[in-house]
Amino acid sequence: MNKFSRSPFLNLVLAVVINLVLFGVCQRFLSVSNHLDLIQEQQLQQNQILEQQELFSNEQKMRFEESQKASSPRLLSSFQFPESVLETHDIAIPRDIPAWTDADTVYLNTVVGFSFMEDMVKIQYNKFETVENKNQIDFARTARAERLYKSLWNHVYALYKQLPPELQTTRDKERAILEMAKTRPEVEFFLKLELSLYPFLHLHPRRTSLSLYESYTGHGAVICAGNNQFEFIVSSIQAIRLLNPTLPIELFYMGDGDLSPERQTYVREMTQHIELKDVFKILQNDEMMLGGWSIKAFALLASSFAEVMLIDSDAYFLKDPEQLFSDPGYVAAGALFFYDRTLWADWREGPDWLRSIMPIMSSFPKTTRWFRGMSSHEQESGVVVINKKLRYQGLLATCKMNMRWERDLYSYRVYYGDKETFWTGFEMVQEPYAFMKTFGGAIGERREGHEESDAVCGAQLHLNHLGEPMWWNGGLMRNKNEGIKRTLKFDFWKSGGGLQKHRERIVRNQVLLNEQLFELGLESKEQMEVEPEDPTWIFEESCLEGGVVHELNDEQKALTNAYVRLDAIAKADEQRIRAGESVDSKTYKWSEV
């Protein structure tokens, strides 16, 4: 046998070894191949990701920039005004509400966004429904909805202004907006949210707030009155005419049952530049259910004036009221309010309720007498001046607080009537506003039997930004709150105070006091330098004690005497109308009374 020949056994072993080697090589090759395939797949996925990144790079860049803006330090308010105004006015600096963006519109098309929209447009109570449970009205939710509506309104109004010029009539423009709502979810959301929040706007044929807003022009005064205030409006309007013969006036009433046709004729014919308007023919009363004070905010909204001054029927001026349209605070903020008297300290209900519905507020509330625990009254709404072209949303929110169930169950329970609804309504939507710096003062006479005292008793006086007597409310009676109806003697006046350099240090609220101590680096109230407090109102007597007494000048006394004579004519004619007589207001030479 050849020495190189192999046995069958060895051949078998060799074959097995060779096969194992070949199997290992094949496995290694397959492993490498699979690895290459995996690398190619990963590369493909990476390329797809890069393609997506390229497709959405602009959007990502925009979002990144927005996130950087949001995370970097910035001012919370973009509202600007001359610092010199702070010497004569208190300015509410609001928080900025973000503008509506395309990303917000995209969100509405998501499942979560659609659900959010459904929740926000839900009506809290139905028309003609009697609301007995106050929990049915969620004011915190209302505040959120109103701020959202503000952003939407600005967005949709821009679309309204971009409509083709061939759409010239209001009806055509509103139809275009309604048609737009079929394809643009944010427009649909706007219309439904408006109907939920402000249903009183939609009186046929008006379908949106945009057309009402566009109708406003010029400036003028608004007065509200019914039969029971007839004698006051006659003398008040004629008093205005002695100072300004041409200031446009709109007198609002709530149907013929509120102001009778014969009284309407009397007022319409007694002066020029006056127009009488039934508020129910401009706004939907089924939703407002107006009565008493609540007409005032709605009359401002319904007025044709772009810049409008609300004047109570018992308010009288010592200077031309038209001057208030050029007041520095009004020009700076677009809304001018006046302070009420300082009365009844340590009142918590109003401030606590406001905190509960609005965690985010402007710079103003914590500086108020309300929040400092000094007074239960803040605003006197006898005169209110608003530029509706600038502060439309603030006025709408004020009206919301004066709707039937909102006022009956909430606002009129924590406020005294409509007064505080103006500035708190503006807070709801973070609109700026200005208060004349001085608190409600007094105009009238010395305290009877105590003429040597420093008290001035009578009506509530309000000063202009120069510190001069501007107007008063409370009519011509000595003390209407206590039924003392004799005519007031107008000889003296005094300021209600509020001009301390550090007024915020006069505080009875412990939380705010601690903030002041922390800012000043002090340990106790006794270490704090505090300026003298303001004069004190004695409500029952309608007297203001303390402070400096001023005597009215001859021109001011002549005006007040003329107002008393006008009032005597108004009272006599009211009695004749009640007796069924026909009275012609044109028989008088009113300017010579």
Side-chain angles (χ1 to χ4, degrees):
M1 180 173 146
N2 190 327
K3 63 179 179 180
F4 294 105
S5 62
R6 291 171 292 192
S7 67
F9 175 75
L10 290 174
N11 289 335
L12 178 62
V13 171
L14 182 60
V16 170
V17 171
I18 293 171
N19 285 332
L20 288 174
V21 172
L22 290 173
F23 179 76
V25 172
C26 290
Q27 286 292 97
R28 180 64 178 171
F29 176 79
L30 290 173
S31 175
V32 171
S33 177
N34 289 337
H35 182 67
L36 290 173
D37 289 342
L38 180 61
I39 291 174
Q40 288 178 347
E41 184 178 350
Q42 290 176 341
Q43 185 65 44
L44 179 61
Q45 291 176 350
Q46 184 67 27
N47 289 339
Q48 290 175 342
I49 291 172
L50 290 173
E51 288 177 3
Q52 291 176 354
Q53 288 177 340
E54 182 67 26
L55 287 172
F56 297 108
S57 61
N58 290 334
E59 180 180 352
Q60 287 178 329
K61 181 179 179 182
M62 179 184 70
R63 290 180 181 274
F64 176 77
E65 290 175 350
E66 290 297 322
S67 67
Q68 288 295 99
K69 291 178 183 178
S71 60
S72 59
R74 64 187 180 92
L75 294 175
L76 296 176
S77 178
S78 59
F79 175 65
Q80 296 182 346
F81 59 93
E83 288 191 13
S84 58
V85 175
L86 294 176
E87 297 177 6
T88 53
H89 297 77
D90 294 322
I91 304 293
I93 304 172
R95 294 282 293 271
D96 284 347
I97 296 177
W100 188 268
T101 67
D102 291 341
D104 296 316
T105 299
V106 171
Y107 173 72
L108 294 179
N109 281 320
T110 67
V111 174
V112 178
F114 185 78
S115 177
F116 167 77
M117 181 169 65
E118 282 190 316
D119 179 66
M120 293 305 292
V121 301
K122 183 172 60 179
I123 297 175
Q124 298 192 50
Y125 58 85
N126 295 316
K127 185 166 60 174
F128 305 126
E129 179 180 357
T130 298
V131 180
E132 296 178 351
N133 183 3
K134 66 185 299 185
N135 294 327
Q136 189 171 341
I137 299 177
D138 184 350
F139 252 107
R141 176 181 174 275
T142 297
R144 293 193 299 272
E146 288 186 316
R147 296 179 187 195
L148 178 61
Y149 172 83
K150 178 181 178 180
S151 294
L152 273 168
W153 191 94
N154 290 330
H155 175 78
V156 176
Y157 181 64
L159 299 176
Y160 183 88
K161 296 299 287 184
Q162 293 169 10
L163 289 173
E166 56 266 23
L167 299 177
Q168 296 186 1
T169 68
T170 296
R171 182 165 296 186
D172 287 342
K173 291 179 180 179
E174 291 204 323
R175 282 175 178 166
I177 292 295
L178 296 176
E179 192 65 26
M180 198 182 295
K182 296 177 181 179
T183 57
R184 301 191 61 150
E186 81 276 23
V187 179
E188 178 192 28
F189 189 17
F190 161 74
L191 293 174
K192 289 183 176 180
L193 192 58
E194 180 173 277
L195 187 61
S196 171
L197 288 171
Y198 312 122
F200 48 81
L201 290 167
H202 294 193
L203 182 65
H204 183 75
R206 189 189 312 117
R207 301 295 298 276
T208 77
S209 62
L210 305 172
S211 58
L212 181 63
Y213 176 82
E214 282 286 284
S215 69
Y216 297 143
T217 60
H219 71 274
V222 160
I223 299 175
C224 305
N227 292 331
N228 293 334
Q229 295 83 37
F230 177 72
E231 65 181 74
F232 303 120
I233 63 172
V234 170
S235 56
S236 179
I237 291 172
Q238 292 299 347
I240 292 173
R241 285 291 175 251
L242 292 181
L243 294 165
N244 189 319
T246 60
L247 178 68
I249 298 174
E250 291 180 347
L251 178 67
F252 277 87
Y253 59 97
M254 298 177 285
D256 290 345
D258 184 39
L259 187 64
S260 66
E262 57 268 28
R263 290 178 175 85
Q264 293 178 38
T265 300
Y266 184 102
V267 173
R268 188 178 293 110
E269 294 181 350
M270 75 176 186
T271 185
Q272 295 179 328
H273 309 289
I274 191 168
E275 187 173 357
L276 278 68
K277 294 189 172 183
D278 182 350
V279 69
F280 295 160
K281 293 181 179 179
I282 303 172
L283 299 173
Q284 174 60 264
N285 189 49
D286 292 344
E287 311 292 350
M288 301 181 296
M289 299 298 288
L290 293 185
W293 294 311
S294 62
I295 186 180
K296 292 166 60 175
F298 291 101
L300 287 172
L301 183 67
S303 167
S304 68
F305 303 128
E307 297 185 72
V308 59
M309 181 188 307
L310 174 71
I311 301 175
D312 271 1
S313 59
D314 67 347
Y316 291 85
F317 283 82
L318 291 166
K319 290 183 175 295
D320 181 359
E322 196 165 12
Q323 293 178 8
L324 293 179
F325 287 115
S326 58
D327 173 82
Y330 169 74
V331 173
L336 176 64
F337 304 144
F338 290 86
Y339 284 118
D340 203 337
R341 297 162 293 182
T342 302
L343 287 170
W344 304 311
D346 299 318
W347 182 69
R348 299 182 58 89
E349 188 176 3
D352 287 349
W353 180 67
L354 205 60
R355 289 188 191 97
S356 72
I357 66 172
M358 281 188 290
I360 296 176
M361 292 182 275
S362 77
S363 63
F364 177 74
K366 74 174 185 178
T367 69
T368 62
R369 294 167 297 172
W370 253 34
F371 279 63
R372 291 187 287 120
M374 304 304 297
S375 178
S376 65
H377 291 243
E378 200 65 56
Q379 181 177 354
E380 168 51 54
S381 62
V383 170
V384 170
V385 194
I386 296 176
N387 185 332
K388 294 189 292 186
K389 287 293 190 179
L390 296 178
R391 305 292 167 241
Y392 192 51
Q393 304 300 321
L395 181 54
L396 285 175
T398 299
C399 288
K400 181 69 175 177
M401 282 192 160
N402 284 274
M403 288 176 65
R404 181 181 181 182
W405 299 115
E406 282 79 0
R407 68 178 186 261
D408 285 357
L409 296 178
Y410 279 103
S411 55
Y412 281 25
R413 289 189 178 186
V414 295
Y415 309 152
Y416 183 69
D418 67 292
K419 295 193 295 184
E420 315 296 350
T421 66
F422 287 92
W423 71 271
T424 56
F426 274 57
E427 284 291 332
M428 294 279 276
V429 291
Q430 289 302 282
E431 293 276 27
Y433 52 92
F435 268 90
M436 197 71 75
K437 210 171 189 69
T438 49
F439 299 148
I443 184 172
E445 59 195 51
R446 299 282 197 176
R447 180 184 275 132
E448 289 182 283
H450 300 276
E451 286 75 10
E452 74 287 351
S453 76
D454 66 359
V456 173
C457 304
Q460 183 183 171
L461 177 69
H462 305 274
L463 310 183
N464 63 12
H465 72 284
L466 299 175
E468 302 165 333
M470 183 71 193
W471 65 279
W472 79 85
N473 63 290
L476 303 170
M477 291 184 286
R478 166 61 185 85
N479 187 350
K480 69 174 186 178
N481 295 315
E482 296 297 319
I484 303 176
K485 297 184 178 181
R486 70 169 177 82
T487 301
L488 181 64
K489 292 181 288 184
F490 292 91
D491 293 318
F492 302 97
W493 68 273
K494 68 166 56 178
S495 166
L499 294 176
Q500 296 91 346
K501 184 177 181 180
H502 295 289
R503 193 171 65 195
E504 72 280 358
R505 297 181 186 177
I506 304 174
V507 59
R508 297 168 67 95
N509 180 298
Q510 189 62 45
V511 173
L512 293 180
L513 175 60
N514 291 339
E515 288 182 8
Q516 290 292 319
L517 293 174
F518 178 79
E519 290 177 6
L520 295 171
L522 303 177
E523 297 295 329
S524 67
K525 183 178 180 179
E526 288 68 29
Q527 297 175 296
M528 184 185 293
E529 293 184 12
V530 180
E531 297 158 274
E533 294 194 17
D534 300 313
T536 302
W537 269 99
I538 311 300
F539 178 77
E540 294 75 16
E541 297 181 71
S542 193
C543 293
L544 184 60
E545 294 182 333
V548 179
V549 178
H550 305 271
E551 187 172 359
L552 294 176
N553 61 38
D554 291 342
E555 181 181 356
Q556 292 165 337
K557 288 182 179 179
L559 274 174
T560 60
N561 290 334
Y563 297 164
V564 171
R565 293 193 294 272
L566 290 169
D567 187 60
I569 295 174
K571 286 181 178 178
D573 283 354
E574 166 62 9
Q575 293 301 318
R576 293 170 60 191
I577 291 174
R578 289 188 178 186
E581 297 181 34
S582 177
V583 183
D584 185 358
S585 61
K586 300 190 300 297
T587 59
Y588 302 107
K589 292 183 178 180
W590 293 98
S591 61
E592 299 177 6
V593 170

